[in-house]
């Protein structure tokens, strides 16, 4: 009996010990299970985020709007608006450079010691921009009439694109001597304007040519009449002027150069290069007896404004002893006056050729065949 009682006590003690051990294990095991479960949840969230999975509350990244210039300028209305802006900018800058050249230089290049020669050269930049405005105004009307595919306007747009590239090339070539003298905002405005104008012309050429971005066709046939010969001579003189912009000075020798004089004089070159393109286009129009059309009247008026303005500026330079009064200077002045008068006379007297509708032309041809 005593032995059975002792065994029962031992068994109950063992049972209590086992129960306590189990309780202790449970107490220590449950937090571990909870932590492990929470770690498992963290891993799942990390895997979802790295694998592209998104929770319902997650926001999508903000997309940055883009602008496709080629697509925008595929529409004729947008083309006309772009050329309107370019023509207006050229006209405003032309007036500012011609009327207030000192204010323009002081605002754009405040660190420079401006000379009288810089003021004269800035006025010449202004009159070249007048010719540029006449080209862009003609392109605006051509865009409205959906005529930009014509070789005439393709050549004019190519000339404007080359002009913009020339402005950038002159600026970059003079960076070592002039960069620190510029106002930062004015320097950026110069670059952005040149790049933007060039991009507009190249985009419109690409959209309107029918062949993508291609070089416009060139007609190198000899001049067919006296007017065509006159425009050929004008183009040659303008190309010679472009070369003279980068040659040692032989006319404006009365005043010394400043640090910015080569830059200001170099900006002539793109404007006179565009004038050479205008002369080539007018020569082609003269060959076809089309000088009375509105586009060619505008171009003649632009060249007349350029040359009359240059004549006044150059004559003032002679009177102020910036230029010596000799045979070279007088012939330069006379040549400018002759070109201006020739272009203005053509503008005033050229008549627009009558346009015969295609239906009437076909009827006339059929009538001739029947009567023969």
């Amino acid at each position: 009996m005593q032995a059975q009682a002792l065994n029962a006590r031992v068994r109950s003690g063992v049972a209590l010990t086992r129960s306590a051990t189990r309780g202790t294990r449970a107490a220590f095991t449950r937090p571990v299970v909870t932590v492990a479960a929470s770690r498992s949840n963290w891993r799942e969230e990390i895997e979802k985020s790295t694998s592209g999975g998104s929770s319902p509350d997650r926001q999508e990244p903000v997309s940055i709007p883009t602008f496709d210039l080629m697509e925008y300028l595929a529409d004729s209305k947008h083309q006309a608006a772009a050329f309107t802006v370019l023509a207006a900018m050229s006209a405003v800058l032309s007036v500012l450079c011609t009327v207030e050249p000192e204010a323009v230089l002081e605002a754009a290049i405040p660190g420079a010691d401006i000379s009288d020669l810089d003021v004269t050269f800035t006025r010449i930049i202004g009159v070249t921009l007048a010719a540029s405005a006449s080209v862009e105004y003609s392109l605006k009307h051509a865009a409205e009439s959906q005529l930009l595919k014509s070789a005439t306007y393709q050549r004019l747009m190519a000339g404007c694109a080359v002009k913009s590239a020339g402005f950038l090339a002159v600026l970059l070539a003079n960076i070592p001597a002039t960069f620190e003298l510029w106002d930062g905002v004015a320097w950026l405005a110069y670059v952005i304007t040149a790049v933007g104008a060039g991009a507009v012309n190249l985009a419109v050429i690409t959209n309107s040519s029918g062949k993508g971005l291609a070089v416009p066709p060139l007609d190198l046939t000899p001049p067919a009449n006296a007017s065509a010969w006159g425009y050929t001579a004008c183009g040659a003189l303008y190309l010679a002027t472009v070369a003279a912009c980068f040659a040692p000075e032989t006319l404006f020798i009365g005043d010394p150069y400043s640090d910015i004089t080569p830059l200001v004089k170099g900006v002539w070159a793109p404007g006179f290069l565009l004038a050479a393109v205008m002369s080539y286009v007018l020569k082609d129009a003269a060959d076809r007896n089309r000088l009375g059309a509105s586009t060619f009247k505008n171009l003649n008026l632009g060249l007349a404004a350029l040359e009359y303005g240059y004549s006044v500026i150059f004559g003032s330079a002679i009177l102020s002893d910036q230029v010596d009064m000799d045979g070279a200077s007088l012939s330069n002045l006379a040549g400018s006056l002759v070109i201006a008068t020739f272009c203005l006379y053509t503008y005033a007297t050229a008549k627009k050729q009558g346009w015969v509708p295609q239906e009437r032309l076909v009827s006339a041809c059929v009538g001739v065949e029947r009567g023969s």
Side-chain angles (χ1 to χ4, degrees):
M1 294 292 292
Q2 292 180 353
Q4 290 178 355
L6 181 61
N7 290 333
R9 289 179 182 177
V10 172
R11 288 177 182 173
S12 62
V14 171
L16 290 173
T17 302
R18 288 178 179 176
S19 176
T21 302
R22 288 175 182 173
T24 303
R25 286 180 179 176
F28 285 101
T29 303
R30 286 173 186 171
V32 174
V33 172
T34 304
V35 172
S38 62
R39 287 181 180 176
S40 176
N41 293 335
W42 293 347
R43 288 176 181 174
E44 291 178 0
E45 292 295 330
I46 294 174
E47 289 177 357
K48 287 182 180 179
S49 62
T50 55
S51 63
S54 59
S55 61
D57 297 333
R58 185 177 177 181
Q59 296 181 353
E60 295 295 330
V62 178
S63 60
I64 299 175
T66 59
F67 177 70
D68 190 338
L69 182 64
M70 290 289 297
E71 182 179 353
Y72 179 80
L73 291 177
D75 182 71
S76 60
K77 292 182 180 179
H78 294 161
Q79 293 169 354
F83 285 122
T84 300
V85 172
L86 294 180
M89 290 177 60
S90 294
V92 170
L93 289 173
S94 174
V95 172
L96 289 176
C97 290
T98 305
V99 178
E100 292 290 343
E102 292 184 24
V104 171
L105 289 174
E106 289 174 357
I109 317 178
D113 293 327
I114 301 171
S115 68
D116 292 339
L117 203 56
D118 297 330
V119 173
T120 298
F121 287 174
T122 303
R123 284 197 169 101
I124 295 176
I125 293 172
V127 296
T128 63
L129 288 172
S132 179
S134 72
V135 172
E136 289 152 349
Y137 181 76
S138 298
L139 291 171
K140 175 251 185 189
H141 279 287
E144 291 175 340
S145 304
Q146 299 183 4
L147 297 175
L148 290 175
K149 188 176 181 179
S150 167
T152 293
Y153 301 110
Q154 294 287 308
R155 292 163 182 165
L156 290 175
M157 287 187 289
C160 289
V162 172
K163 178 198 69 172
S164 298
F167 283 147
L168 289 174
V170 170
L171 180 67
L172 294 176
N174 288 274
I175 277 182
T178 64
F179 182 73
E180 295 181 353
L181 306 176
W182 276 86
D183 175 76
V185 175
W187 192 89
L188 284 176
Y190 181 109
V191 173
I192 292 171
T193 302
V195 172
V200 166
N201 283 281
L202 292 176
V204 177
I205 289 174
T206 303
N207 285 326
S208 60
S209 68
K211 298 177 289 186
L213 186 58
V215 177
L218 297 177
D219 182 8
L220 301 179
T221 58
N225 49 51
S227 295
W229 277 108
Y231 289 117
T232 301
C234 291
L237 288 174
Y238 287 133
L239 291 177
T241 304
V242 172
C245 290
F246 306 103
E249 186 57 60
T250 58
L251 290 176
F252 294 89
I253 57 176
D255 288 334
Y257 272 28
S258 72
D259 292 335
I260 65 170
T261 303
L263 168 66
V264 179
K265 185 183 178 184
V267 177
W268 293 11
F272 281 109
L273 184 60
L274 180 60
V277 175
M278 295 166 67
S279 300
Y280 172 78
V281 169
L282 288 168
K283 177 264 178 189
D284 179 68
D287 286 339
R288 298 182 288 115
N289 294 318
R290 291 282 296 156
L291 289 173
S294 60
T295 292
F296 307 116
K297 281 183 170 290
N298 290 335
L299 297 182
N300 270 310
L301 195 59
L303 288 181
L306 165 61
E307 291 299 340
Y308 276 128
Y310 179 83
S311 299
V312 172
I313 296 167
F314 192 78
S316 299
I318 293 176
L319 295 177
S320 62
D321 295 328
Q322 291 180 352
V323 177
D324 292 338
M325 186 179 293
D326 54 17
S329 61
L330 292 177
S331 63
N332 185 290
L333 180 61
S336 181
L337 288 171
V338 168
I339 294 174
T341 304
F342 167 67
C343 292
L344 188 61
Y345 175 80
T346 307
Y347 165 81
T349 61
K351 303 299 181 182
K352 187 173 183 179
Q353 298 294 321
W355 179 72
V356 180
Q358 186 176 4
E359 294 82 359
R360 188 182 301 175
L361 183 61
V362 171
S363 300
C365 294
V366 172
V368 170
E369 289 180 356
R370 288 177 179 176
S372 59

